[in-house]
Amino acid sequence: MRRSLFPMLLGMFSAAAAESGADRVLWYDEPAASWQQQALPLGNGSLGCMVFGGVPEERIQFNEDSLWIGGETNTGAYQAFGDVFIAFDHEELSDYRRQLDISRAIHRVHYTSKGVRYTRDGFVSAPAGVMIFRFTADAPGAHSGHIRLTDAHDATIVAEGNVLSAAGDTIRHQFYPKPGRTWEDPVVLKYASRVLVRHEGGAIEAADGAIRFKGCDSLTVFVGAATDYVPHRDRGWTEGDPVEEVKQRVESAAKRPFQELLTEHVADYRELYGRMTVDWGTTASDQLALPTDERMAAYRGDGPGPGEKTVYEAEAVGGTGKPDPDLEELMYQYARYLMISCSRPGSLPSNLQGLWNDRNDPEWRCDYHSDVNLQMNYWFVDQANLGECFEPFADWFHAIREVRREETWEHFKKRGFAMRVENGIFGGGSYRWSIGDASWLANNLWDHYRYTLDEDYLKARAYPALKDLFMFWEDHLVEIPSPDGEGTVLVSPDGWSPEHGPKSEDGVSFEQQLAWDLLSNFAEASEILGIDEEERAKAIDMRDRLLGPRIGKWGQLQEWMVDRDDPENRHRHLSHLIAVHPGCQISPLTTPELAEAARVSMNARGDGATGWSKAWKINMWARLHDGDRAYKLLAEMLRGNVYDNLLCAHPPFQIDGNFGYASGVGEMLVQSHMDGIHLLPALPGEWSDGHARGIRARGGFEIDLRWKENRLFHATIRSDHGRDCVLRVAGPVSVFTGGDEVEFRELEPGRIAFPTRAGSEYRVLLERPEE
């Protein structure tokens, strides 16, 4: 019976795994009026822009991820770079449409003016290293106007021939957030931008600091920007000549045909984006045909939508909008698009706004916030099959370690290092010390290894940080009498639960849980590498003597060693629940009493939150195996914490909410943090039928899965490294490879293990009881 089912089920799965035809385009029927809520982002990892689609004047506001002020003693701030304005003599518009196709990373504008149909295409090429915009029409000689370049730091704009350029440095701009607040020893960066215009037909000339064009059939505009930043402290953080670098990139691209550049860009982007698809429903065709802002309004219903001002605590956002599963899927894939666009090998990691920023005094410095936000940016990348996008995080953390070690020794006289909450690209930090943050960031480093099993990466990037942090905890933890009156325990002294409550407490749960994670991860990493056996033994002993999670008087998971939690508290941070997510110390599978206490705490905190906090709550409820509650938060986040351009609102815009949403979806579909792969651990009732293709699991596995009537139907598991696959499944199961049945062993009810070979594929079929 099993073998006769196999060909039929395989065929069904192959068909289901194909693209569903769901909408992967954001589109609007008028130009953007707001940078934050309406303009659309493009990027190649380090170079990005927000495109407005304006008529008669287009605005392209651009950034380069290394344009920072600050240094080794202060965070500084991420900076805007400049704008390109392209003005036309087009009026009396009709049939206007602007769109962002995230399946190809291309921005397009269409409109008609005086009977002529105009088209604009724009993208940011990773292979070419420049932004490229092409303007065409269905009539000759239809383009007349001018192009201007601006510089956010007042550099002189030079117009010559078909080129606009600017160059300067940051020495006169070392202040934040206003003149007079400076710091010692800033790192001064040189920077340059360049615009080159190529035209067919008509004429162009440089005049009055701009490029004027008249009667052109088409225009292609190439934009480049760079600084002399390098992620190497021993070189003073700078190297090279950005003027020459930008000139070479722009001129090289301008020598090539537009179609060749476009084809190269799409192929490069699709190699990452095309690895994964999701589908859990189909939106009604009339609703799917609406512009994205109208779809958002329909989904929101009577919900209020996001506000403009920062709201730290908020009630849950209701609403009786129309179902739109394709919009929910689009939001997930949009997060993957944004990650590819702002974090590629060789770039800096995503900051609070990815790499998009239109201000020199941005909120929270547009920095690397280390008490949840930066971690949240990277929770989902490996599971979403974007492992390469994690490299900038690991490289940045490695680059700043020496600066952090020195400041930590100066402040605490302890080995290893700790972080302040705000962090920049030169290792400098500001705001308060948050002792658990560095270990939390190291969790991301370790988790990337768990997905890839790349020992070269472990040795070069993750393990050095893990060892530094082991030494910090060895110096920092103190022994006190156990609060239970039995023996002694190790606690972190003078701690803080971000960003909440007393600021000098022993045994704060946030720090205890992160110390547990770090010591566990260090011990396992040292065993894998076969080094530091003595330190490994110390780490295990320290971990086992830590004060562990505690259940308080109203059944909650305590935030502090002292049982003071307020059941009416609605604070946005969930710092005492790290052991549930992203950690693995607490799980319904292994510690049901603590998991129940976490549920009590989550219910007390409520469902209202800022954007990133609501995203974290999706992840939390998924880890607690409550898919319906996770979906409730997911839907409310889309209604109340997302702008019409699908960027997440803290408010203001913070990209961690976009990435946290994607992480939550991944946790609802597949979990692999508890010694095995758990398929559909938190599937909500609203997603009764669907499939996912290309989702990654720890241990070097890639998974396609299909479910029907809220139950797993079958899955395909590909093994990279030939490790045993441990699988949690509900019901009778069969495993096949190449048509042959694979023997498996049952570890416990609902948990099986079977051997795999590297590069092989295994099909897991769930046998349904007879109807």
Side-chain angles (χ1 to χ4, degrees):
M1 182 270 292
R2 292 177 177 174
R3 294 194 181 182
S4 64
L5 277 174
F6 177 75
M8 176 186 69
L9 294 174
L10 175 60
M12 291 171 62
F13 184 80
S14 298
E19 287 280 6
S20 66
D23 174 26
R24 293 295 176 259
V25 173
L26 290 71
W27 76 275
Y28 308 83
D29 58 10
E30 59 184 12
S34 163
W35 183 95
Q36 178 170 253
Q37 299 194 32
Q38 297 172 334
L40 295 172
L42 293 171
N44 68 358
S46 58
L47 184 63
C49 61
M50 295 288 274
V51 186
F52 286 68
V55 182
E57 183 174 71
E58 174 66 279
R59 179 188 176 192
I60 301 164
Q61 188 274 320
F62 65 95
N63 296 97
E64 202 274 348
D65 64 351
S66 65
L67 187 60
W68 277 73
I69 56 173
E72 294 185 359
T73 61
N74 194 285
T75 302
Y78 182 46
Q79 302 289 282
F81 211 120
D83 293 88
V84 178
F85 293 97
I86 307 173
F88 299 92
D89 57 356
H90 302 162
E91 299 176 355
E92 301 175 11
L93 304 185
S94 61
D95 302 321
Y96 179 92
R97 175 182 172 121
R98 65 183 174 97
Q99 69 176 45
L100 175 61
D101 180 353
I102 66 169
S103 71
R104 301 169 69 228
I106 297 174
H107 186 278
R108 171 167 284 188
V109 176
H110 285 304
Y111 60 90
T112 299
S113 176
K114 296 182 179 179
V116 178
R117 186 65 170 165
Y118 293 91
T119 301
R120 307 175 188 171
D121 288 307
F123 58 93
V124 186
S125 169
V130 295
M131 299 181 279
I132 304 170
F133 302 90
R134 183 161 173 81
F135 301 81
T136 59
D138 63 2
H143 293 96
S144 296
H146 65 269
I147 301 174
R148 295 184 296 116
L149 171 66
T150 69
D151 182 87
H153 296 86
D154 304 320
T156 300
I157 307 300
V158 177
E160 186 175 1
N162 64 339
V163 173
L164 299 170
S165 62
D169 61 46
T170 60
I171 194 167
R172 293 186 299 109
H173 304 275
Q174 293 290 338
F175 55 81
Y176 177 86
K178 57 185 178 181
R181 293 188 61 179
T182 60
W183 44 84
E184 296 179 359
D185 302 321
V187 176
V188 177
L189 296 178
K190 297 176 182 177
Y191 68 86
S193 60
R194 192 174 186 89
V195 176
L196 186 152
V197 183
R198 192 174 69 194
H199 70 106
E200 292 81 32
I204 65 172
E205 64 173 348
D208 302 322
I211 294 177
R212 301 191 178 277
F213 53 92
K214 186 174 182 180
C216 295
D217 301 336
S218 66
L219 298 168
T220 308
V221 179
F222 302 85
V223 184
T227 78
D228 62 349
Y229 167 82
V230 291
H232 300 286
R233 190 191 193 199
D234 58 355
R235 304 179 200 172
W237 304 104
T238 64
E239 186 175 79
D241 181 354
V243 173
E244 285 302 314
E245 179 183 345
V246 171
K247 180 179 179 182
Q248 187 276 328
R249 286 183 188 173
V250 168
E251 292 186 354
S252 293
K255 294 175 182 177
R256 300 172 58 191
F258 175 80
Q259 190 58 49
E260 179 182 296
L261 291 162
L262 176 62
T263 300
E264 177 186 65
H265 158 74
V266 171
D268 172 78
Y269 172 78
R270 289 286 303 177
E271 199 284 320
L272 288 166
Y273 178 86
R275 296 173 182 174
M276 186 176 174
T277 62
V278 292
D279 184 5
W280 50 73
T282 302
T283 299
S285 58
D286 59 339
Q287 192 168 343
L288 196 62
L290 294 173
T292 302
D293 52 344
E294 294 183 25
R295 283 178 70 186
M296 288 290 290
Y299 189 88
R300 193 176 293 130
D302 58 2
E308 281 283 358
K309 296 181 179 179
T310 299
V311 180
Y312 281 103
E313 324 300 339
E315 296 301 318
V317 176
T320 56
K322 296 180 180 179
D324 194 338
D326 280 319
L327 181 64
E328 297 163 0
E329 297 162 17
L330 176 63
M331 186 71 177
Y332 176 81
Q333 292 287 30
Y334 191 52
R336 296 182 71 244
Y337 164 82
L338 291 170
M339 178 56 65
I340 298 168
S341 300
C342 74
S343 185
R344 299 279 295 266
S347 78
L348 283 159
S350 168
N351 61 41
L352 279 176
Q353 294 183 179
L355 63 78
W356 300 280
N357 169 37
D358 66 337
R359 294 168 54 187
N360 290 334
D361 61 344
E363 298 284 353
W364 301 287
R365 305 170 186 253
C366 206
D367 73 339
Y368 298 116
H369 242 57
S370 63
D371 62 354
V372 65
N373 313 90
L374 178 55
Q375 292 90 333
M376 184 180 291
N377 282 1
Y378 286 90
W379 285 341
F380 84 107
V381 290
D382 283 291
Q383 189 180 54
N385 217 329
L386 298 174
E388 295 93 328
C389 295
F390 185 80
E391 290 182 24
F393 178 104
D395 291 344
W396 168 79
F397 201 53
H398 181 77
I400 68 168
R401 277 174 51 230
E402 185 178 346
V403 180
R404 301 311 312 145
R405 281 198 300 264
E406 289 180 6
E407 188 184 7
T408 301
W409 180 259
E410 181 180 347
H411 189 84
F412 294 102
K413 295 299 185 284
K414 292 170 182 176
R415 298 171 300 157
F417 66 97
M419 306 289 285
R420 295 181 182 269
V421 172
E422 298 176 332
N423 299 277
I425 66 172
F426 311 110
S430 52
Y431 193 42
R432 62 175 290 110
W433 289 90
S434 186
I435 295 302
D437 287 13
S439 293
W440 195 354
L441 292 167
N443 269 3
N444 291 70
L445 293 177
W446 172 245
D447 216 32
H448 182 63
Y449 168 76
R450 293 183 69 195
Y451 276 98
T452 64
L453 304 184
D454 181 346
E455 290 193 17
D456 290 337
Y457 156 81
L458 179 62
K459 186 180 299 184
R461 287 291 183 262
Y463 190 76
L466 293 173
K467 186 170 182 179
D468 272 353
L469 293 166
F470 157 72
M471 291 189 294
F472 178 83
W473 288 115
E474 186 179 19
D475 290 356
H476 187 70
L477 293 171
V478 298
E479 190 170 17
I480 66 168
S482 171
D484 298 326
E486 298 181 5
T488 60
V489 292
L490 291 179
V491 299
S492 177
D494 300 322
W496 178 52
S497 188
E499 297 174 6
H500 184 211
K503 295 184 178 180
S504 184
E505 291 262 328
D506 293 345
V508 172
S509 297
F510 167 78
E511 294 177 8
Q512 297 297 123
Q513 293 171 17
L514 286 168
W516 190 94
D517 283 347
L518 188 282
L519 295 170
S520 299
N521 299 343
F522 167 74
E524 187 173 349
S526 76
E527 185 173 11
I528 291 167
L529 296 176
I531 56 177
D532 294 334
E533 183 175 353
E534 183 178 342
E535 288 85 351
R536 184 193 321 153
K538 286 182 182 179
I540 293 171
D541 176 67
M542 291 162 58
R543 179 197 63 192
D544 293 344
R545 292 194 293 132
L546 284 169
L547 175 68
R550 298 169 60 78
I551 299 176
K553 57 193 174 189
W554 46 277
Q556 87 282 10
L557 195 69
Q558 289 181 202
E559 187 164 358
W560 297 277
M561 184 169 64
V562 178
D563 188 359
R564 65 155 60 89
D565 303 80
D566 180 358
E568 301 301 318
N569 189 310
R570 300 292 185 266
H571 198 273
R572 66 200 176 279
H573 272 263
L574 310 171
S575 304
H576 59 307
L577 296 166
I578 284 174
V580 178
H581 181 274
C584 55
Q585 193 177 1
I586 296 176
S587 168
L589 300 172
T590 56
T591 57
E593 290 185 1
L594 291 173
E596 179 57 33
R599 288 190 186 94
V600 171
S601 290
M602 288 291 295
N603 281 322
R605 286 290 164 96
D607 290 347
T610 62
W612 64 261
S613 179
K614 193 164 288 186
W616 196 3
K617 290 178 180 181
I618 299 169
N619 287 269
M620 288 286 189
W621 284 113
R623 283 281 179 95
L624 294 171
H625 299 170
D626 190 337
D628 289 332
R629 187 66 170 273
Y631 178 81
K632 175 181 180 290
L633 269 294
L634 180 148
E636 289 182 359
M637 182 178 174
L638 262 175
R639 292 189 184 110
N641 302 93
V642 176
Y643 296 123
D644 285 342
N645 57 5
L646 301 192
L647 295 178
C648 184
H650 175 57
F653 161 47
Q654 280 187 201
I655 205 166
D656 42 25
N658 291 92
F659 296 151
Y661 173 102
S663 176
V665 169
E667 294 287 346
M668 293 162 78
L669 298 179
V670 173
Q671 294 178 16
S672 59
H673 62 295
M674 296 300 297
D675 190 25
I677 301 171
H678 194 174
L679 302 178
L680 303 181
L683 187 69
E686 285 80 357
W687 298 349
S688 59
D689 299 280
H691 75 264
R693 179 184 63 81
I695 195 167
R696 300 286 299 183
R698 295 168 183 86
F701 297 102
E702 182 173 308
I703 302 167
D704 304 339
L705 65 159
R706 179 165 175 77
W707 61 94
K708 297 178 66 175
E709 299 172 354
N710 288 100
R711 293 184 58 193
L712 180 67
F713 193 35
H714 47 82
T716 299
I717 300 175
R718 290 175 286 279
S719 175
D720 292 344
H721 300 282
R723 290 197 167 190
D724 277 8
C725 181
V726 178
L727 197 63
R728 292 185 181 274
V729 292
V733 64
S734 301
V735 181
F736 295 87
T737 184
D740 297 323
E741 193 165 3
V742 176
E743 292 187 7
F744 59 81
R745 60 189 187 277
E746 188 174 39
L747 304 177
E748 60 188 20
R751 187 165 173 258
I752 67 170
F754 57 90
T756 71
R757 296 187 305 273
S760 295
E761 187 171 272
Y762 298 82
R763 293 173 178 85
V764 179
L765 310 180
L766 274 290
E767 298 177 17
R768 288 176 163 248
E770 296 295 331
E771 296 293 338

